[in-house]
Amino acid sequence: MTVVKSPLPEPARQVTFDALQSTLVDLLGISLIGKQAHWNIVGPRFRSIHLQLDEVVSTARSYADTVAERAAALGLPPDGRPETIASAFTLPAPKDGWLRDEDVVEVIAETLGEAIGRLRERIDATAQPDPVTQDLLIGITAELEKQRWMFEAENWPRES
């Protein structure tokens, strides 16, 4: 059943849906692991990183809503159900239990880095089929790159 008629032809619709749905899964997953780290971080930089994690979570949640609404506007039903996220999320995540501040910084920077790489692939994939979605993905990428930079700077200089 199609509730909203898509303005995109079928091949473009599928490419766009795949890019939006995958981005939705990544963003919702990032928001969940950000909160997991937020609740379990310990160490001398607890407070600053604890607050920085809230920024990542807020960014991911806000963009997840925008991505899902973009999909719906194109007649593509977004799927943010817990079982969908649990089965499809493959970005790095922190381990369970208490997390040292430097470990949180490392895993969040790695997670954001991998998400950015995926977004750049989706940017390329949506260039022709849907430049509007491509523009959205570019904006998300810019924000996640900023967040990653802030986390990378936390562990500089990296001790070997």
Side-chain angles (χ1 to χ4, degrees):
M1 169 169 114
T2 302
V3 176
V4 177
K5 182 166 173 43
S6 179
L8 301 175
E10 186 51 40
R13 186 174 181 262
Q14 190 58 52
V15 168
T16 302
F17 177 72
D18 291 346
L20 290 169
Q21 181 60 38
S22 297
T23 301
L24 180 62
V25 167
D26 284 355
L27 290 169
L28 291 174
I30 289 168
S31 75
L32 292 171
I33 66 168
K35 271 303 182 186
Q36 180 68 19
H38 173 87
W39 297 320
N40 290 286
I41 188 171
V42 294
R45 295 179 296 160
F46 163 81
R47 180 150 174 77
S48 64
I49 297 170
H50 180 81
L51 295 173
Q52 193 174 350
L53 286 163
D54 272 340
E55 290 180 32
V56 170
V57 169
S58 178
T59 295
R61 287 180 178 169
S62 176
Y63 276 121
D65 190 53
T66 302
V67 164
E69 289 175 352
R70 174 72 185 150
L74 294 174
L76 309 165
D79 188 353
R81 296 172 300 153
E83 59 270 24
T84 300
I85 306 310
S87 69
F89 186 76
T90 59
L91 291 172
K95 61 181 180 57
D96 64 342
W98 301 116
L99 303 165
R100 294 282 312 159
D101 52 5
E102 65 267 10
D103 295 336
V104 168
V105 168
E106 190 173 313
V107 74
I108 296 299
E110 181 184 3
T111 300
L112 292 172
E114 286 195 30
I116 290 162
R118 292 178 187 187
L119 277 162
R120 288 185 168 277
E121 290 172 5
R122 295 173 196 141
I123 288 167
D124 289 343
T126 56
Q128 210 298 318
D130 187 19
V132 176
T133 293
Q134 182 195 42
D135 185 58
L136 172 60
L137 298 177
I138 289 169
I140 295 168
T141 302
E143 182 58 32
L144 293 186
E145 286 176 340
K146 181 178 100 176
Q147 293 293 333
R148 182 176 181 268
W149 158 60
M150 291 181 179
F151 275 94
E152 282 279 317
E154 284 282 347
N155 274 353
W156 188 87
R158 184 175 305 277
E159 296 178 19
S160 302

Coordinates of all heavy atoms in Angstrom, one line a residue, residues 1-8 12-25 27-28 62-80 126 130 132-134 136-137 140:
M1 N 0.8 -1.2 0.0 CA 0.0 0.0 0.0 C 0.9 1.2 0.0 O 1.8 1.4 0.8 CB -0.9 0.0 1.2 CG -1.6 1.3 1.5 SD -2.9 1.1 2.8 CE -2.2 2.1 4.0
T2 N 0.7 2.1 -0.9 CA 1.4 3.4 -1.0 C 0.5 4.5 -0.5 O -0.6 4.8 -1.1 CB 1.8 3.7 -2.5 OG1 2.7 2.6 -2.9 CG2 2.6 4.9 -2.6
V3 N 0.9 5.1 0.5 CA 0.1 6.2 1.1 C 0.6 7.6 0.4 O -0.3 8.4 0.1 CB 0.3 6.3 2.6 CG1 -0.4 7.5 3.2 CG2 -0.2 5.0 3.3
V4 N 1.9 7.7 0.3 CA 2.4 8.9 -0.4 C 3.0 8.5 -1.7 O 3.9 7.6 -1.7 CB 3.5 9.6 0.6 CG1 4.1 10.8 -0.1 CG2 2.8 9.9 1.9
K5 N 2.6 9.2 -2.7 CA 3.2 8.9 -4.1 C 4.6 9.5 -4.2 O 4.7 10.7 -3.9 CB 2.3 9.4 -5.1 CG 2.8 9.1 -6.5 CD 1.7 9.3 -7.6 CE 2.1 9.2 -9.0 NZ 3.0 8.1 -9.3
S6 N 5.5 8.7 -4.5 CA 6.9 9.2 -4.7 C 7.0 10.0 -6.0 O 6.6 9.6 -7.0 CB 7.9 8.1 -4.7 OG 9.2 8.6 -4.8
P7 N 7.7 11.2 -5.9 CA 8.0 11.9 -7.1 C 9.2 11.3 -7.9 O 9.5 11.8 -9.0 CB 8.3 13.3 -6.6 CG 8.9 13.1 -5.2 CD 8.1 11.9 -4.7
L8 N 9.8 10.3 -7.3 CA 11.0 9.7 -8.0 C 10.6 8.5 -8.8 O 9.7 7.7 -8.3 CB 12.0 9.3 -6.9 CG 12.6 10.4 -6.0 CD1 13.5 9.8 -4.9 CD2 13.3 11.4 -6.8
A12 N 15.5 5.3 -9.0 CA 15.9 6.4 -8.2 C 15.3 6.3 -6.8 O 16.0 6.5 -5.8 CB 15.6 7.8 -8.8
R13 N 14.1 5.8 -6.7 CA 13.4 5.6 -5.4 C 14.1 4.6 -4.6 O 14.4 4.8 -3.4 CB 12.0 5.2 -5.7 CG 11.1 5.1 -4.6 CD 9.7 4.8 -5.1 NE 8.8 4.7 -3.9 CZ 8.4 3.6 -3.4 NH1 8.8 2.5 -3.9 NH2 7.5 3.6 -2.4
Q14 N 14.6 3.5 -5.2 CA 15.2 2.4 -4.4 C 16.6 2.9 -3.9 O 16.9 2.6 -2.8 CB 15.3 1.2 -5.3 CG 15.8 -0.1 -4.5 CD 14.8 -0.4 -3.3 OE1 13.6 -0.5 -3.5 NE2 15.4 -0.5 -2.1
V15 N 17.4 3.5 -4.8 CA 18.7 4.0 -4.4 C 18.5 5.0 -3.2 O 19.3 4.9 -2.2 CB 19.4 4.7 -5.6 CG1 20.7 5.4 -5.1 CG2 19.8 3.6 -6.6
T16 N 17.6 5.9 -3.3 CA 17.3 6.9 -2.3 C 16.9 6.2 -1.0 O 17.3 6.6 0.1 CB 16.3 7.9 -2.8 OG1 16.8 8.5 -4.0 CG2 16.1 9.0 -1.8
F17 N 15.9 5.3 -1.1 CA 15.5 4.6 0.1 C 16.6 3.9 0.8 O 16.7 4.0 2.0 CB 14.3 3.6 -0.3 CG 13.9 2.8 0.9 CD1 13.1 3.5 1.9 CD2 14.2 1.5 1.1 CE1 12.7 2.8 3.1 CE2 13.8 0.8 2.3 CZ 13.1 1.4 3.2
D18 N 17.4 3.2 0.0 CA 18.5 2.4 0.6 C 19.5 3.4 1.4 O 19.9 3.1 2.5 CB 19.3 1.7 -0.4 CG 18.5 0.5 -1.0 OD1 17.5 0.1 -0.5 OD2 19.0 0.0 -2.1
A19 N 19.8 4.5 0.8 CA 20.6 5.5 1.4 C 20.0 6.1 2.7 O 20.7 6.2 3.7 CB 21.0 6.6 0.4
L20 N 18.7 6.4 2.6 CA 18.0 7.0 3.8 C 17.9 6.0 4.9 O 18.1 6.3 6.0 CB 16.7 7.6 3.3 CG 16.8 8.9 2.5 CD1 15.4 9.2 1.9 CD2 17.3 10.1 3.3
Q21 N 17.5 4.8 4.5 CA 17.2 3.8 5.6 C 18.5 3.4 6.3 O 18.6 3.3 7.5 CB 16.6 2.5 5.0 CG 16.3 1.4 6.0 CD 15.4 1.9 7.1 OE1 14.4 2.6 6.9 NE2 15.6 1.4 8.4
S22 N 19.6 3.2 5.5 CA 20.9 2.9 6.1 C 21.4 4.1 7.0 O 22.0 3.8 8.1 CB 21.9 2.6 5.0 OG 21.6 1.5 4.3
T23 N 21.2 5.3 6.6 CA 21.6 6.4 7.4 C 20.7 6.5 8.6 O 21.2 6.8 9.7 CB 21.4 7.7 6.5 OG1 22.2 7.6 5.4 CG2 21.8 8.9 7.4
L24 N 19.4 6.2 8.5 CA 18.6 6.2 9.7 C 19.1 5.2 10.7 O 19.2 5.5 11.9 CB 17.1 5.9 9.3 CG 16.1 5.8 10.5 CD1 16.0 7.2 11.2 CD2 14.8 5.4 9.9
V25 N 19.4 4.0 10.3 CA 19.9 2.9 11.2 C 21.2 3.4 11.9 O 21.4 3.3 13.1 CB 20.2 1.6 10.4 CG1 21.0 0.6 11.3 CG2 18.8 1.0 10.1
L27 N 22.3 6.5 12.4 CA 22.1 7.6 13.3 C 21.4 7.2 14.6 O 21.8 7.6 15.7 CB 21.2 8.7 12.6 CG 22.0 9.5 11.5 CD1 21.0 10.3 10.7 CD2 23.1 10.3 12.1
L28 N 20.4 6.3 14.5 CA 19.7 5.8 15.7 C 20.7 5.0 16.5 O 20.7 5.1 17.7 CB 18.5 5.0 15.3 CG 17.3 5.9 14.8 CD1 16.2 5.0 14.3 CD2 16.8 6.9 15.8
S62 N 18.3 14.3 16.1 CA 17.7 15.3 15.3 C 17.8 14.9 13.8 O 16.8 15.0 13.0 CB 18.4 16.6 15.5 OG 17.9 17.6 14.7
Y63 N 19.0 14.5 13.4 CA 19.1 14.1 12.0 C 18.4 12.8 11.6 O 17.9 12.7 10.5 CB 20.6 14.0 11.6 CG 21.2 15.3 11.2 CD1 22.3 15.8 11.9 CD2 20.7 16.1 10.1 CE1 22.9 17.0 11.5 CE2 21.3 17.3 9.8 CZ 22.4 17.8 10.5 OH 23.0 19.0 10.1
A64 N 18.3 11.9 12.6 CA 17.5 10.7 12.3 C 16.0 11.1 12.0 O 15.4 10.5 11.1 CB 17.5 9.8 13.5
D65 N 15.5 12.0 12.7 CA 14.1 12.5 12.5 C 14.0 13.1 11.1 O 13.1 12.8 10.3 CB 13.7 13.5 13.6 CG 12.2 13.8 13.5 OD1 11.4 12.8 13.5 OD2 11.9 15.0 13.4
T66 N 15.0 13.9 10.7 CA 15.0 14.6 9.4 C 15.1 13.5 8.3 O 14.4 13.6 7.3 CB 16.1 15.6 9.3 OG1 16.0 16.6 10.4 CG2 16.2 16.3 8.0
V67 N 16.0 12.5 8.5 CA 16.1 11.5 7.5 C 14.8 10.7 7.3 O 14.4 10.4 6.2 CB 17.3 10.6 7.9 CG1 17.3 9.3 7.1 CG2 18.6 11.3 7.6
A68 N 14.2 10.3 8.5 CA 13.0 9.5 8.4 C 11.9 10.3 7.7 O 11.1 9.8 6.9 CB 12.6 9.1 9.8
E69 N 11.8 11.6 8.0 CA 10.8 12.4 7.4 C 11.0 12.6 5.9 O 10.1 12.7 5.1 CB 10.6 13.8 8.1 CG 10.0 13.6 9.5 CD 9.9 14.8 10.3 OE1 10.5 15.9 9.9 OE2 9.3 14.8 11.4
R70 N 12.3 12.7 5.5 CA 12.6 12.8 4.1 C 12.1 11.5 3.4 O 11.5 11.6 2.3 CB 14.1 13.0 3.9 CG 14.6 13.0 2.4 CD 14.1 14.2 1.7 NE 14.5 14.1 0.3 CZ 13.8 14.6 -0.7 NH1 12.8 15.4 -0.5 NH2 14.2 14.5 -2.0
A71 N 12.4 10.4 4.0 CA 12.0 9.1 3.4 C 10.4 9.1 3.2 O 9.9 8.8 2.2 CB 12.4 7.9 4.2
A72 N 9.8 9.5 4.3 CA 8.3 9.5 4.3 C 7.8 10.4 3.2 O 6.8 10.1 2.5 CB 7.7 9.8 5.7
A73 N 8.4 11.6 3.1 CA 8.0 12.6 2.1 C 8.1 12.0 0.7 O 7.4 12.4 -0.2 CB 8.8 13.9 2.2
L74 N 9.0 11.1 0.5 CA 9.2 10.5 -0.8 C 8.4 9.2 -1.0 O 8.5 8.5 -2.0 CB 10.7 10.1 -1.0 CG 11.6 11.4 -1.1 CD1 13.0 10.9 -1.2 CD2 11.2 12.2 -2.3
G75 N 7.5 8.9 0.0 CA 6.7 7.7 -0.1 C 7.4 6.4 0.2 O 7.1 5.3 -0.2
L76 N 8.5 6.6 1.0 CA 9.4 5.5 1.4 C 9.2 5.3 2.9 O 9.7 6.2 3.7 CB 10.8 5.8 1.1 CG 11.1 6.2 -0.4 CD1 12.5 6.8 -0.5 CD2 10.9 5.0 -1.3
P77 N 8.6 4.2 3.4 CA 8.4 4.1 4.8 C 9.6 3.8 5.6 O 10.2 2.8 5.5 CB 7.4 2.9 4.9 CG 7.6 2.1 3.7 CD 8.1 3.1 2.6
P78 N 10.1 4.8 6.5 CA 11.3 4.5 7.3 C 11.0 3.5 8.3 O 9.9 3.3 8.8 CB 11.5 5.9 7.9 CG 10.2 6.6 7.9 CD 9.4 6.1 6.7
D79 N 12.1 2.8 8.7 CA 11.9 1.7 9.7 C 13.0 1.9 10.8 O 14.1 1.6 10.7 CB 12.2 0.3 9.1 CG 11.9 -0.8 10.0 OD1 11.6 -0.6 11.2 OD2 11.9 -2.0 9.6
G80 N 12.5 2.5 11.9 CA 13.3 2.8 13.1 C 13.0 1.9 14.3 O 13.3 2.2 15.4
T126 N 23.6 9.0 -4.3 CA 22.3 9.8 -4.5 C 22.5 11.0 -5.4 O 21.5 11.7 -5.6 CB 21.7 10.2 -3.1 OG1 22.8 10.9 -2.4 CG2 21.3 9.0 -2.3
D130 N 18.7 11.5 -6.7 CA 18.0 12.5 -5.8 C 18.9 13.5 -5.2 O 19.4 13.3 -4.0 CB 17.2 11.8 -4.8 CG 16.3 12.7 -4.0 OD1 16.0 13.8 -4.5 OD2 15.9 12.4 -2.9
V132 N 18.4 16.2 -3.8 CA 17.8 16.8 -2.5 C 18.3 15.9 -1.4 O 18.7 16.4 -0.3 CB 16.3 16.9 -2.6 CG1 15.8 17.4 -1.3 CG2 15.9 17.9 -3.7
T133 N 18.1 14.6 -1.5 CA 18.6 13.7 -0.5 C 20.1 13.8 -0.3 O 20.7 13.8 0.8 CB 18.2 12.2 -0.8 OG1 16.7 12.2 -0.7 CG2 18.8 11.2 0.2
Q134 N 20.8 13.9 -1.5 CA 22.3 14.1 -1.4 C 22.6 15.3 -0.6 O 23.5 15.2 0.3 CB 22.8 14.2 -2.8 CG 24.3 14.3 -2.8 CD 24.9 14.8 -4.1 OE1 24.4 15.8 -4.7 NE2 26.0 14.3 -4.5
L136 N 20.9 16.6 1.9 CA 20.7 16.3 3.3 C 21.9 15.5 3.8 O 22.4 15.8 4.9 CB 19.4 15.5 3.4 CG 19.1 14.9 4.8 CD1 19.0 16.0 5.9 CD2 17.8 14.1 4.7
L137 N 22.3 14.5 3.1 CA 23.4 13.6 3.5 C 24.7 14.4 3.6 O 25.5 14.2 4.6 CB 23.6 12.5 2.6 CG 22.4 11.5 2.5 CD1 22.7 10.4 1.4 CD2 22.0 10.9 3.8
I140 N 24.5 16.3 7.0 CA 24.8 15.3 8.1 C 26.3 15.0 8.2 O 26.8 15.0 9.3 CB 23.9 14.0 7.9 CG1 22.4 14.3 8.0 CG2 24.3 13.0 8.9 CD1 21.5 13.2 7.5

